[in-house]
């Protein structure tokens, strides 16, 4: 079955460490997105990519980095510059422009210890 | 500015009663409108969407939504709530020719037995 796989489901990071969250899709979707969700809050866009080897900053890109070397993959690195990284991270993909909506992964919960 | 508003942080309803979760939007052009549901520690699941045509859209799990262009609203409804409907609901809008979805802040639905 086609879908989006995020791994790991739970991730613990020490202060000052960089960590990378994986997002892989086999839907042949062009566009991919990373969102951050804090308790009791909505979704905030971190980065998005419309095509391979191209990506744009979202609303809260500081302290994060991404790459899009393959259509299927859009990993997110949470760097040590992100001062408050504890959150639930959601990856999504879409066919592209138009009325298609998103397909979401099941999320990664990152906790700083 | 383009935006989506979900004016209620939480909606409480008794099982078997009808439910409504409100959503209003502000975008230029003709919007595509979506509802998603999120269960604890999970990604968002698609419920339904409005593209064009009939203003009443039917979706998954017995949910429906009514598009009202004059009031710029897209309220989610269900005739008879179930305890299992308790979750976090997000309204989203995709403006014309846009890759990105704009999400509301979410409404927590609590259905009591």
């Amino acid at each position: 079955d086609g879908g989006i796989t995020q791994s790991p489901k739970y991730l613990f990071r020490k202060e000052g460490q960089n960590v990378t969250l994986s997002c892989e899709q086999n839907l042949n979707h062009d566009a991919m997105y990373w969102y951050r969700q804090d308790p009791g809050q909505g979704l905030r866009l971190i980065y998005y990519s419309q095509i391979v080897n191209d990506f744009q900053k979202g609303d809260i890109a500081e302290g994060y980095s991404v790459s899009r070397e393959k259509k299927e993959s859009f990993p997110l690195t949470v760097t040590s510059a992100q001062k408050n990284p504890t959150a639930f991270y959601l990856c999504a993909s879409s066919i592209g422009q138009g009325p298609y909506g998103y397909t979401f992964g099941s999320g990664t919960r990152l906790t700083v210890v | 500015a383009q935006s989506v508003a979900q004016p209620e942080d939480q909606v409480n309803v008794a099982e078997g009663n009808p439910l409504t979760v409100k959503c209003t939007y502000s975008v230029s052009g003709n919007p595509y409108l979506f509802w998603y549901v999120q269960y604890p520690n999970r990604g968002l699941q698609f419920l339904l969407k409005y593209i064009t045509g009939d203003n009443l859209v039917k979706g998954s799990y017995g949910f429906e939504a009514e598009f009202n262009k004059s009031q710029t609203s897209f309220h989610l409804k269900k005739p008879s709530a179930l305890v299992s409907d308790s979750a976090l609901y997000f309204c989203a809008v995709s403006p014309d020719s846009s890759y990105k979805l704009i999400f509301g802040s979410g409404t927590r639905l609590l259905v009591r037995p």
Side-chain angles (χ1 to χ4, degrees):
Chain A
D1 288 338
I4 296 184
T5 301
Q6 289 188 242
S7 61
K9 190 170 179 65
Y10 298 96
L11 186 58
F12 297 90
R13 192 195 91 169
K14 293 183 179 180
E15 296 276 359
Q17 276 186 338
N18 292 353
V19 291
T20 297
L21 283 60
S22 172
C23 179
E24 303 276 335
Q25 55 102 355
N26 60 5
L27 300 166
N28 200 31
H29 285 176
D30 287 323
M32 298 186 75
Y33 312 82
W34 275 105
Y35 285 88
R36 170 178 171 143
Q37 186 177 26
D38 292 285
Q41 297 192 28
L43 305 176
R44 293 187 288 171
L45 181 64
I46 305 172
Y47 270 98
Y48 65 102
S49 168
Q50 297 175 352
I51 57 172
V52 175
N53 292 323
D54 187 45
F55 48 84
Q56 287 79 41
K57 294 182 179 180
D59 301 317
I60 57 165
E62 185 175 352
Y64 299 97
S65 66
V66 294
S67 63
R68 187 87 187 274
E69 297 176 1
K70 298 186 300 182
K71 188 175 186 178
E72 303 79 21
S73 179
F74 192 41
L76 174 74
T77 296
V78 184
T79 75
S80 56
Q82 172 49 238
K83 297 306 178 187
N84 185 23
T86 295
F88 190 54
Y89 290 87
L90 286 163
C91 180
S93 71
S94 68
I95 293 174
Q97 288 180 307
Y100 303 110
Y102 292 177
T103 300
F104 281 87
S106 57
T108 293
R109 185 165 297 281
L110 174 62
T111 304
V112 174
V113 296
Chain B
Q2 302 183 107
S3 64
V4 177
Q6 294 182 240
E8 303 152 317
D9 289 337
Q10 183 162 313
V11 170
N12 298 306
V13 64
E15 188 173 32
N17 283 0
L19 68 87
T20 299
V21 182
K22 295 179 180 178
C23 172
T24 59
Y25 64 91
S26 174
V27 298
S28 56
N30 295 316
Y32 304 130
L33 295 154
F34 303 82
W35 276 102
Y36 289 85
V37 61
Q38 184 182 32
Y39 297 99
N41 294 313
R42 303 291 296 172
L44 277 67
Q45 297 177 30
F46 171 80
L47 275 180
L48 51 80
K49 67 181 178 182
Y50 172 82
I51 307 302
T52 188
D54 193 348
N55 289 341
L56 185 63
V57 179
K58 294 188 182 297
S60 307
Y61 313 120
F63 284 94
E64 57 190 28
E66 186 169 13
F67 172 63
N68 187 317
K69 188 172 183 177
S70 63
Q71 297 185 6
T72 61
S73 67
F74 189 55
H75 301 331
L76 182 69
K77 300 182 179 184
K78 188 174 183 181
S80 179
L82 300 173
V83 172
S84 57
D85 292 330
S86 298
L88 187 58
Y89 290 81
F90 288 96
C91 180
V93 62
S94 174
D96 272 347
S97 301
S98 173
Y99 274 85
K100 291 192 293 180
L101 286 183
I102 301 169
F103 285 89
S105 56
T107 298
R108 187 164 301 281
L109 174 66
L110 181 60
V111 182
R112 58 186 186 277

